[in-house]
Amino acid sequence: MPLRAILFDHDGTLVDSEPVHFRMWATVLARYGVSLSEQQYIAHYAGVPTRANAVDLVRRFALGEDPAVLADAKNAATKDFLLRSAFPLMNGVLPAIAEFRRVGLTLAVVTGASANGVYAMLRANDLQRHFATVVSGDDVRASKPAPDCYFLALERLGLQAADCLAIEDTQHGLRAACGAGIRCLALPTHMSKHHNFECAAAVLDGMPQAVAYVQQLLGER
């Protein structure tokens, strides 16, 4: 079955947001007297949805707080950031979008996070017209690594798993795509390079290499 759609993760794949998320979490935890190091964030929290991170943080640091309070504080910090700016794009994203659209592929964003960051990125870079749908953690009962968001994307696009290729930067996103039966390219960042990518169709250095991979796929069909 020919390739018909590319399903992009957002944080760490389309945008370089993880350093910002780390700083936000560090600020939230500082209110409780906890100092979160970048290495701790990389080891446990990069690429993980906010609600799941909040649960783990309460347990790991023995905080006498409802995880929902931490999640709300982090979401408020993210909302405030996005009112002022958008997350910067990862290297090679704009040429990749242009090339994928040129060859007739449908594009979607499938993120485990809330959709506000995605829409801020699309508006800031005038990319709304290129994406057929955005599926976020707000749209499903179980966020990544559950496959629900990918199943919903397939439903909205009217496509089968075999029609699609996902692009992710973490093992959590990779598990979600693989759980939905979708081939997935892994593009590890410095915050996710230690993750387990064994179910990836390929592990690549960045978006330009993903474009080359897709071009090869299209050439073989």
Side-chain angles (χ1 to χ4, degrees):
M1 188 173 291
L3 180 63
R4 298 176 61 188
I6 303 293
L7 311 182
F8 292 96
D9 173 48
H10 184 246
D11 292 286
T13 300
L14 288 176
V15 296
D16 188 16
S17 58
E18 288 295 354
V20 180
H21 288 305
F22 161 63
R23 292 193 294 271
M24 290 177 186
W25 272 122
T27 299
V28 169
L29 291 173
R31 302 170 192 170
Y32 299 89
V34 172
S35 178
L36 180 70
S37 71
E38 184 177 41
Q39 285 307 309
Q40 287 173 315
Y41 181 81
I42 290 172
H44 304 294
Y45 305 112
V48 179
T50 298
R51 285 172 288 183
N53 273 345
V55 170
D56 187 90
L57 287 163
V58 167
R59 178 191 59 79
R60 189 176 303 276
F61 294 105
L63 303 179
E65 186 63 274
D66 187 328
V69 174
L70 264 69
D72 287 346
K74 169 58 170 58
N75 287 333
T78 302
K79 182 179 180 180
D80 181 66
F81 175 87
L82 292 172
L83 286 173
R84 295 178 282 106
S85 59
F87 295 119
L89 295 176
M90 298 290 285
N91 179 55
V93 163
L94 291 179
I97 290 171
E99 174 62 12
F100 294 155
R101 293 295 293 135
R102 185 190 69 81
V103 297
L105 294 172
T106 297
L107 306 184
V109 179
V110 183
T111 178
S114 295
N116 55 348
V118 179
Y119 289 120
M121 178 275 292
L122 294 177
R123 289 191 300 270
N125 297 281
D126 192 27
L127 294 172
Q128 301 96 316
R129 66 190 184 279
H130 295 301
F131 288 85
T133 192
V134 172
V135 177
S136 76
D138 303 327
D139 299 319
V140 294
R141 183 182 300 274
S143 190
K144 298 177 184 180
D148 302 36
C149 52
Y150 277 107
F151 283 129
L152 181 56
L154 294 176
E155 179 182 332
R156 287 184 179 178
L157 296 172
L159 297 175
Q160 301 297 313
D163 298 324
C164 302
L165 180 71
I167 302 179
E168 290 274 359
D169 70 301
T170 70
Q171 69 185 54
H172 316 289
L174 181 64
R175 284 174 56 195
C178 291
I182 298 171
R183 292 172 294 173
C184 187
L185 302 180
L187 309 183
T189 69
H190 76 285
M191 286 195 170
S192 64
K193 61 186 179 182
H194 62 290
H195 286 193
N196 182 345
F197 296 113
E198 64 182 5
C199 78
V203 181
L204 305 173
D205 291 335
M207 198 62 72
Q209 289 72 33
V211 171
Y213 184 98
V214 170
Q215 289 171 331
Q216 182 177 13
L217 276 183
L218 295 174
E220 291 175 353
R221 71 185 185 186

